[in-house]
Amino acid sequence: MRTKMATGENIPLRSVEYRKGKGLKYSRFNSEDESSSMDEVPLMLSEDGFESEDGESLLSRGRQPQKKGLSAFSDGVKNCWDSCCECLLSRCRRRSEPKPRTVWFNRADRNEERYPPNVIRNQKFNIITFVPGVLYDQFKFFLNLYFLVVALSQFIPDLKIGYLYTYWAPLGFVLSVTMCREAVDEINRWRRDREVNSQQYKKLTDRGVVRVSSADIQVSDLIYVEKNQRVPADMVFLKTTEKSGACFIRTDQLDGETDWKLRLAIPSTQALAIDSDLIHIEANVYAEKPQRNIHSFIGNFSRNDENKAEDSLSVENTLWSNTVVASGTALGVVIYTGAETRSVMNTSHPPSKVGLLDLEINRLTKVLFFAVVVLSLVMMILKGFGGPWYRYFFRFILLFSYIIPISLRVNLDMGKAAYSWMISRDNEIPGTVVRSSTITEDLGRILYLLSDKTGTLTQNEMVFKKIHLGTVSFSGDSMDEVVSHLRTAYAHPTVAGQPASTTSTPSRKGSATPQQPMIRRTVVTRVLEAVKALALCHNVTPVYESEEEENEDVEADQVEADQEGDKTITYQASSPDEVALVTWTEEIGLKLIRRDLTSMQLMTPSGAIQTYDILQVFPFTSESKRMGIIVREEVTGEITFYMKGADVVMSSIVQYNDWLDEECGNMAREGLRTLVVAKKTLTEEQYQDFESRYNSAKLSVQDRALKVSAVVESLERDMELLCLTGVEDKLQADVRPTLELLRNAGIKVWMLTGDKLETAECIAKSSRLVSRTQTIHVFKQVSNRAEAHLELNAFRRKNDSALVIRGDSMEVCLKYYEHEFMELACQCPAVIICRCSPTQKAEVVRLIKQHTRRRCAAIGDGGNDVSMIQAADAGIGIVGKEGKQASLAADFSITQFKHVGKLLVVHGRNSYKRSASLSQFVIHRGLIISTMQAVFSSVFYFVSVALYQGFLMVGYATVYTMFPVFSLVLDQDVTPQIAITYPELYKELTKGRSLSFKTFFIWVLISIYQGGIIMFGALLLFDADFVHIVAISFTSLILTELLMVALTVRTWHWAMVIAEVFSLGIYVASLAIFKEYFDESFILSLTFFWKVTVITLVSCLPLYVLKYLRKKFSPPSYSKLS
């Protein structure tokens, strides 16, 4: 095989080396590479490379050439300057590296160093920096800087063209609007900051309890946080009014998760009789240095008086800033304030996104500036370079400066605001929020949509569907048998209990003895053990509404007696999977009725109460992919270690079996999420040995996590496999028609999920992400360059196949064959990447943008989707069961996946087409008057005098034409219903034909034609009086602009008619007011009327005829559907 392939043409393969800390680096593998022999085998490449459309985009999609010569030197100087400035700034700030700290209770004087104040500040500027900051933000753009230079030039007498206000009024208006908007935003930020910083809290001191504002809280303060109150700073949890020594907190404003988290008070401080004892004891907390990770904390509590005590601290003993206490009143010691809190350190400013339309208009602006310079140079050549030619040259540049309209940016910004308002007011997509109004047009240019699976395509609403016990499985209707077996087990303990006690007696040295698998166990026994494990192995807490209302001080027996009442019970857990499992055990008869830090109570089908002491809990983490719990039954004293987790980790932990892998695959193919459940019985001696080693590991400061996991893993050996569960995640409403709509619109949807391959493939089929006519190519697991090379060649032979690939295999392909892999993947109708980490999701977005140069959107609902959403050109967040973190980080927030169809196909399409039409019309408005100025100057011996003076120039771009031109934001070519019915209309937008160099030059030709006709017509028909030229030409100009708006409109709106009539009325009124510009007797004459009518008809009528002919013989696609 190798010999045959090697005979082909040797195509050198570019490879990509991934170096830690340095990102992606292109390189070539030399002969010393372990896989260098693969260079002899060509990877089949298409001649065309990436698929390309025949659209005319204003921005190049090719690779940028390497800078050389002077450009490279200037870049080097700039980099050197930037590094020097950064170094100088860092020295000025003098920010010391954060260090671990020892915090003494209520002793701020013993703090080792000064800590930042506990002040929240989200303002961009202060009173001093506001004006300079806003001006800098505006004038760093070429367009505004250009007009500033033009306006400043009018203070030079030799360069003065007209009145100062004709240049400063438009610029001042733009700056005033911007500064007012920024001022309002700053005031709102200041008010929000003041409200938060002035919140009052109770502080425990040696003088008793005093009130203190949030901004005055310091490290070492003892602060009370009451129920439903925000935690003001990062604290270690010392004491609570809850008898259990724990409280719930809500973390949705920190990590986006809506479930309640359980936090534990330090046992030594919770045991104190009264709160004031904390003032009198000699105690401190050692805390690690401030860091961003909100899911971990390493610290120790030490008491150094006569009652010495030491406790290890973890994240379960903390109350992070911006969380909310949900039960009881918590008392804590402050360890981090202000900028060192987890909340502030995780507040990152996402990269500011610039829309593709803005980049294209910026390109056109530079073209227009070049045109201004060329036109001025031509006028100077025709005039001759005699005298102070440079002064004349600059005056011509000023005269033609209206080619670049200052109102362009204002109109576009107002248009974006209008689009955002329309989206948020659409009743068919309720709850939609536009958080970034600058990129609404990009929604009409999307070619790739990257979607999460859980909570986005699916509801994240788990329903228990199947349980497999090795010899028998139960699902659907057969669940009644589980209920029957469970009742039998508890009604006749000897039936189920005898085998169980035989297989797992506490007197044995080990829990997994060789004799266990040899004992035949009945189905009843298996059902009992499996259901009991599911009812005990979790982090679920039952919450009763009556308990919350009555301050939750109900005795245990009273709670037990009331369970059969009408109380509403809700389960709080960190995972909906766990809630689904506990809900199922309740439905079949084994109900969780009470849980606190140390115990758990179950109600059996017969109504009896079983109590279990909780000895240890090992929570689920994304690294371990499993959770465990050690419990002791109160009656028998039997200690059992239960564990459940993903099959990939559990398969190596449980005893040998011949069915687990096969059944996991079967359930995954049904679209079910699987969990493997196992147990191990421990003797008292075994548990005591484990507990001493575990507590010792938890007290260590260095490598605590590694030591703790090593001790826990010593238990995770040879566990008894109990069952395999399957939970279904329901599809979101209307996912299938929405995906079909997007596919017909030419949008390629990629699904990126952390779930296993079989489940991802099943959801892709059930959601119709992969259509029934398409085949699926499952990319085999690859681990080296040779395997990746062969698998890529195999995939190249597949036509019109959806790709399913694992995240680790994708990493291998990207390491060696990045360009080739992305070429193949981007040609696929759909791509499913499973076992994909959040970092990989963001990397895929960047690679698509880099290799295709097309607009890419990302949609998700969880905190793990934030990096992908922020990396995409348009990030869409769904408010889901996992919280609001993705929604808050996104550019657009929606409530259901089905809303993305209308958001893109209707609102995105309209926004892009409207802004393209609006921007070109504003440019046309500047070009036509500049053409008239050029004709005027040429006729009058190239004089550099303005054609229109004073208010006429200001009014032309504002009150006379502003409203009709801006009303184009209400225009639409087809109705929303037609746009959704025929999503193929969306495909045309991705080619960028609505705003291209072709359409731009068409508008340039129209402007030259109309400007020439109006000016030459006025010159031919004037009565030897200059003021008549101004009256005739300016009136014809205003009428032409109003008629051109009418010519451009495709669907009339009542506001458009009002804008046209209103603007015409204002101009007619101004004819009577501005007598210094218009001769009243002339404008009331019949001569004025017919001359203006003739000029206007000659400038507009041919365009109406051309539009009619084009619509008749070459109609646009949308006109066939209207």
Side-chain angles (χ1 to χ4, degrees):
M1 174 70 181
R2 174 188 169 91
T3 309
K4 289 181 182 179
M5 294 182 68
T7 58
E9 182 184 355
N10 186 11
I11 301 176
L13 295 173
R14 281 173 302 166
S15 59
V16 180
E17 207 173 64
Y18 197 90
R19 295 186 179 178
K20 190 175 181 181
K22 296 185 180 180
L24 294 171
K25 179 182 177 182
Y26 285 90
S27 65
R28 288 183 181 272
F29 285 84
N30 54 35
S31 57
E32 296 178 4
D33 192 288
E34 61 178 358
S35 305
S36 61
S37 59
M38 293 306 300
D39 282 334
E40 301 171 13
V41 185
L43 180 65
M44 292 179 290
L45 297 172
S46 67
E47 296 178 0
D48 300 330
F50 282 100
E51 58 179 347
S52 60
E53 301 284 359
D54 57 345
E56 309 91 348
S57 176
L58 289 171
L59 296 177
S60 171
R61 298 191 184 100
R63 295 182 179 270
Q64 299 297 321
Q66 189 174 359
K67 295 180 178 180
K68 297 181 180 180
L70 189 60
S71 177
F73 174 74
S74 64
D75 284 350
V77 172
K78 181 179 182 298
N79 292 336
C80 182
W81 170 257
D82 290 345
S83 60
C84 290
C85 292
E86 187 114 358
C87 180
L88 186 62
L89 282 172
S90 63
R91 284 181 175 275
C92 294
R93 289 174 187 150
R94 295 178 181 174
R95 292 189 64 178
S96 58
E97 185 71 21
K99 301 174 183 176
R101 60 194 62 181
T102 300
V103 179
W104 297 84
F105 289 5
N106 199 38
R107 295 291 302 274
D109 56 310
R110 296 185 66 173
N111 288 342
E112 300 165 357
E113 57 181 283
R114 292 185 62 183
Y115 301 116
N118 195 47
V119 176
I120 291 177
R121 189 177 187 280
N122 293 308
Q123 295 168 251
K124 292 168 62 178
F125 311 106
N126 55 37
I127 296 177
I128 299 173
T129 62
F130 176 74
V131 174
V134 173
L135 291 179
Y136 171 76
D137 285 344
Q138 289 302 305
F139 292 126
K140 67 182 179 182
F141 294 107
F142 171 77
L143 191 65
N144 291 343
L145 182 62
Y146 169 75
F147 276 102
L148 177 65
V149 172
V150 169
L152 289 173
S153 69
Q154 295 305 289
F155 289 108
I156 303 174
D158 289 342
L159 300 179
K160 189 173 181 181
I161 298 296
Y163 297 106
L164 284 176
Y165 69 82
T166 60
Y167 290 90
W168 281 99
L171 184 61
F173 174 75
V174 173
L175 293 178
S176 299
V177 170
T178 303
M179 294 186 80
C180 289
R181 185 182 63 194
E182 285 289 345
V184 170
D185 290 344
E186 281 295 288
I187 291 171
N188 289 335
R189 293 189 196 103
W190 174 76
R191 285 176 175 170
R192 287 196 297 266
D193 291 346
R194 184 182 63 173
E195 182 181 348
V196 173
N197 291 327
S198 61
Q199 284 181 351
Q200 296 294 305
Y201 292 87
K202 293 178 181 178
K203 175 182 174 181
L204 180 62
T205 66
D206 48 9
R207 294 177 284 110
V209 178
V210 298
R211 299 195 74 83
V212 63
S213 65
S214 175
D216 295 329
I217 291 175
Q218 299 178 342
V219 172
S220 80
D221 285 352
L222 299 174
I223 302 295
Y224 286 98
V225 185
E226 298 174 347
K227 183 178 179 180
N228 294 325
Q229 195 173 24
R230 182 186 70 90
V231 179
D234 287 356
M235 305 196 301
V236 167
F237 189 14
L238 301 178
K239 212 169 186 303
T240 177
T241 55
E242 301 288 285
K243 293 182 180 179
S244 61
C247 76
F248 283 108
I249 63 170
R250 298 197 298 270
T251 63
D252 54 324
Q253 297 302 314
L254 183 65
D255 59 11
E257 297 180 2
T258 54
D259 58 284
W260 292 5
K261 308 291 193 304
L262 194 67
R263 290 294 182 261
L264 316 178
I266 299 175
S268 303
T269 54
Q270 177 66 22
L272 295 175
I274 55 176
D275 296 344
S276 58
D277 290 344
L278 290 168
I279 299 293
H280 306 298
I281 65 173
E282 187 75 11
N284 64 64
V285 168
Y286 168 82
E288 63 181 353
K289 69 178 183 180
Q291 59 172 321
R292 297 180 59 181
N293 191 348
I294 62 175
H295 301 295
S296 72
F297 174 73
I298 296 176
N300 284 328
F301 165 79
S302 302
R303 184 172 177 180
N304 304 316
D305 50 18
E306 63 275 3
N307 298 319
K308 288 188 176 293
E310 188 171 7
D311 290 301
S312 67
L313 304 179
S314 68
V315 70
E316 293 180 338
N317 306 112
T318 61
L319 301 172
W320 294 143
S321 173
N322 274 352
T323 58
V324 176
V325 173
S327 62
T329 298
L331 174 60
V333 59
V334 177
I335 55 174
Y336 306 122
T337 55
E340 292 181 342
T341 60
R342 295 292 206 270
S343 173
V344 175
M345 295 181 77
N346 278 281
T347 303
S348 60
H349 297 285
S352 57
K353 299 178 181 180
V354 181
L356 182 60
L357 185 85
D358 294 324
L359 296 175
E360 292 171 342
I361 289 174
N362 189 53
R363 176 72 62 88
L364 289 181
T365 303
K366 294 176 181 177
V367 172
L368 292 172
F369 176 73
F370 179 73
V372 170
V373 175
V374 170
L375 185 57
S376 302
L377 189 60
V378 169
M379 298 296 285
M380 277 305 306
I381 292 173
L382 295 174
K383 179 181 178 67
F385 287 92
W389 62 269
Y390 52 86
R391 187 174 66 189
Y392 298 135
F393 176 68
F394 199 83
R395 284 175 64 89
F396 277 123
I397 288 180
L398 295 177
L399 284 173
F400 299 137
S401 63
Y402 283 94
I403 288 179
I404 308 174
I406 192 172
S407 58
L408 177 60
R409 176 52 52 197
V410 180
N411 277 279
L412 286 176
D413 287 346
M414 291 170 62
K416 293 173 190 290
Y419 308 146
S420 302
W421 182 82
M422 293 175 191
I423 292 172
S424 60
R425 291 293 298 269
D426 191 337
N427 294 327
E428 293 186 12
I429 49 174
T432 302
V433 179
V434 180
R435 304 191 190 280
S436 178
S437 62
T438 58
I439 57 172
T440 48
E441 296 93 352
D442 272 18
L443 294 175
R445 310 285 292 277
I446 301 300
L447 195 65
Y448 292 92
L449 177 65
L450 278 65
S451 172
D452 179 39
K453 179 181 75 68
T454 306
T456 304
L457 297 178
T458 61
Q459 294 183 20
N460 202 14
E461 183 177 310
M462 307 302 172
V463 179
F464 191 93
K465 286 290 184 181
K466 193 172 186 178
I467 183 169
H468 200 290
L469 305 176
T471 56
V472 63
S473 67
F474 301 96
S475 62
D477 297 336
S478 60
M479 288 295 181
D480 293 338
E481 297 180 35
V482 179
V483 177
S484 174
H485 291 322
L486 195 64
R487 286 176 178 169
T488 302
Y490 281 105
H492 308 284
T494 54
V495 175
Q498 185 61 37
S501 61
T502 307
T503 56
S504 54
T505 171
S507 63
R508 295 183 186 272
K509 290 287 183 184
S511 64
T513 59
Q515 291 82 3
Q516 275 187 11
M518 300 179 65
I519 297 174
R520 182 173 179 82
R521 306 181 64 182
T522 64
V523 174
V524 175
T525 305
R526 292 180 182 276
V527 168
L528 174 64
E529 291 293 337
V531 174
K532 189 194 295 184
L534 292 175
L536 292 171
C537 185
H538 52 72
N539 268 318
V540 179
T541 303
V543 177
Y544 298 91
E545 289 185 5
S546 61
E547 283 186 285
E548 294 180 317
E549 294 167 3
E550 298 166 12
N551 297 323
E552 300 177 351
D553 53 358
V554 185
E555 295 298 329
D557 54 352
Q558 184 180 351
V559 174
E560 294 159 16
D562 290 342
Q563 296 311 310
E564 296 177 0
D566 296 330
K567 292 183 179 180
T568 303
I569 182 173
T570 57
Y571 290 120
Q572 291 292 341
S574 59
S575 167
D577 297 72
E578 289 199 322
V579 174
L581 295 175
V582 175
T583 303
W584 177 75
T585 61
E586 177 189 354
E587 290 173 355
I588 63 172
L590 193 58
K591 182 179 181 180
L592 174 68
I593 59 172
R594 183 175 176 272
R595 178 178 181 151
D596 56 26
L597 290 179
T598 57
S599 65
M600 196 185 314
Q601 288 185 336
L602 302 179
M603 178 184 287
T604 66
S606 60
I609 304 298
Q610 290 186 341
T611 303
Y612 294 85
D613 296 327
I614 301 174
L615 304 179
Q616 301 288 348
V617 177
F618 314 112
F620 177 89
T621 65
S622 56
E623 291 79 19
S624 66
K625 292 185 172 61
R626 58 190 182 274
M627 73 84 56
I629 188 171
I630 300 178
V631 296
R632 177 194 282 120
E633 190 173 1
E634 198 173 67
V635 177
T636 63
E638 183 180 61
I639 300 175
T640 310
F641 172 36
Y642 290 106
M643 175 166 281
K644 68 170 185 252
D647 57 292
V648 289
V649 294
M650 294 295 292
S651 57
S652 60
I653 293 174
V654 300
Q655 296 172 352
Y656 171 77
N657 61 87
D658 57 359
W659 60 270
L660 181 60
D661 290 340
E662 181 183 355
E663 289 303 324
C664 281
N666 292 338
M667 286 193 187
R669 279 185 284 276
E670 295 176 30
L672 303 179
R673 297 160 65 96
T674 56
L675 278 175
V676 179
V677 185
K679 81 165 193 175
K680 185 176 190 177
T681 305
L682 305 177
T683 63
E684 188 67 36
E685 294 80 11
Q686 284 177 321
Y687 175 70
Q688 293 299 332
D689 173 62
F690 166 79
E691 186 180 36
S692 63
R693 290 185 291 116
Y694 186 67
N695 291 336
S696 175
K698 286 202 298 182
L699 285 172
S700 62
V701 177
Q702 298 293 329
D703 299 326
R704 176 186 293 182
L706 291 174
K707 293 177 181 177
V708 168
S709 63
V711 173
V712 175
E713 285 174 6
S714 66
L715 277 185
E716 299 171 349
R717 294 172 185 164
D718 206 24
M719 297 187 71
E720 179 186 352
L721 175 60
L722 296 179
C723 65
L724 173 69
T725 63
V727 177
E728 181 188 43
D729 193 357
K730 293 182 178 179
L731 287 177
Q732 289 273 11
D734 296 332
V735 161
R736 291 167 183 164
T738 302
L739 288 174
E740 184 178 0
L741 173 78
L742 297 174
R743 186 163 52 244
N744 292 335
I747 300 173
K748 296 184 178 181
V749 183
W750 291 28
M751 185 172 78
L752 281 58
T753 176
D755 219 330
K756 59 176 66 68
L757 186 144
E758 293 82 4
T759 306
E761 183 180 350
C762 180
I763 294 295
K765 290 178 180 177
S766 62
S767 65
R768 303 288 189 270
L769 174 63
V770 179
S771 66
R772 295 179 178 179
T773 59
Q774 291 170 348
T775 58
I776 294 180
H777 176 80
V778 179
F779 203 91
K780 294 179 181 177
Q781 190 88 25
V782 297
S783 57
N784 55 53
R785 189 181 182 198
E787 293 175 354
H789 188 283
L790 294 174
E791 191 59 27
L792 282 171
N793 271 334
F795 179 47
R796 167 69 72 179
R797 300 184 185 95
K798 303 284 185 177
N799 294 321
D800 195 36
S801 294
L803 172 65
V804 180
I805 186 171
R806 297 174 181 85
D808 51 357
S809 298
M810 181 185 69
E811 281 286 337
V812 175
C813 294
L814 292 176
K815 181 179 180 180
Y816 298 114
Y817 303 117
E818 179 187 302
H819 183 76
E820 289 77 12
F821 173 77
M822 290 305 300
E823 176 199 346
L824 290 171
C826 290
Q827 291 174 354
C828 293
V831 177
I832 298 97
I833 304 175
C834 56
R835 298 297 189 192
C836 190
S837 68
T839 307
Q840 285 176 327
K841 290 182 178 182
E843 187 64 26
V844 170
V845 173
R846 284 189 283 269
L847 288 170
I848 291 177
K849 291 164 60 177
Q850 174 187 339
H851 285 274
T852 65
R853 305 291 179 182
R854 297 301 186 97
R855 295 282 103 174
C856 178
I859 182 170
D861 74 315
N864 59 336
D865 302 316
V866 169
S867 55
M868 171 179 73
I869 286 171
Q870 292 184 341
D873 294 305
I876 304 170
I878 296 179
V879 181
K881 293 184 182 297
E882 293 187 27
K884 297 182 179 180
Q885 193 171 3
S887 165
L888 294 173
D891 304 303
F892 305 91
S893 170
I894 59 178
T895 55
Q896 296 184 57
F897 180 81
K898 66 179 181 180
H899 294 166
V900 77
K902 187 171 186 183
L903 186 67
L904 298 182
V905 175
V906 177
H907 290 290
R909 184 175 184 275
N910 285 340
S911 298
Y912 170 60
K913 292 187 78 70
R914 287 166 175 171
S915 283
S917 179
L918 177 64
S919 59
Q920 291 179 125
F921 206 93
V922 173
I923 290 172
H924 160 263
R925 190 172 60 186
L927 281 169
I928 189 172
I929 198 169
S930 297
T931 303
M932 293 171 65
Q933 178 67 55
V935 173
F936 172 77
S937 297
S938 302
V939 171
F940 288 94
Y941 307 102
F942 305 102
V943 63
S944 54
V945 175
L947 172 59
Y948 303 121
Q949 300 284 344
F951 184 78
L952 292 185
M953 287 303 297
V954 177
Y956 171 67
T958 54
V959 293
Y960 295 150
T961 61
M962 179 176 67
F963 300 111
V965 171
F966 184 70
S967 69
L968 290 173
V969 300
L970 301 172
D971 189 25
Q972 62 180 21
D973 52 359
V974 294
T975 63
Q977 291 74 21
I978 291 178
I980 291 176
T981 307
Y982 301 96
E984 292 79 6
L985 292 170
Y986 187 89
K987 288 183 181 179
E988 300 177 357
L989 307 187
T990 59
K991 302 173 184 178
R993 289 179 173 174
S994 295
L995 179 64
S996 63
F997 280 118
K998 177 182 176 181
T999 59
F1000 170 69
F1001 285 120
I1002 288 174
W1003 277 101
V1004 169
L1005 293 176
I1006 292 173
S1007 303
I1008 293 173
Y1009 166 75
Q1010 290 184 327
I1013 289 295
I1014 293 172
M1015 200 63 233
F1016 278 117
L1019 289 170
L1020 291 172
L1021 300 174
F1022 82 108
D1023 291 337
D1025 193 349
F1026 181 73
V1027 74
H1028 293 172
I1029 298 177
V1030 174
I1032 294 173
S1033 63
F1034 195 75
T1035 304
S1036 299
L1037 176 63
I1038 298 299
L1039 293 177
T1040 298
E1041 286 297 305
L1042 298 181
L1043 289 173
M1044 284 300 294
V1045 171
L1047 176 67
T1048 306
V1049 169
R1050 289 161 292 202
T1051 304
W1052 282 94
H1053 188 276
W1054 60 266
M1056 295 177 173
V1057 178
I1058 293 176
E1060 291 267 329
V1061 174
F1062 180 70
S1063 297
L1064 183 60
I1066 288 179
Y1067 180 67
V1068 171
S1070 66
L1071 290 176
I1073 296 172
F1074 298 112
K1075 296 181 180 179
E1076 65 269 26
Y1077 302 120
F1078 307 109
D1079 183 355
E1080 185 176 357
S1081 60
F1082 178 71
I1083 61 175
L1084 293 175
S1085 66
L1086 186 62
T1087 304
F1088 172 76
F1089 179 78
W1090 76 261
K1091 288 181 179 180
V1092 168
T1093 304
V1094 169
I1095 294 173
T1096 306
L1097 286 176
V1098 173
S1099 68
C1100 293
L1101 194 58
L1103 298 176
Y1104 272 86
V1105 173
L1106 288 173
K1107 181 182 179 181
Y1108 172 77
L1109 293 175
R1110 185 188 175 196
K1111 191 172 183 179
K1112 185 172 181 63
F1113 296 106
S1114 179
S1117 55
Y1118 67 83
S1119 65
K1120 303 172 186 176
L1121 306 173
S1122 300

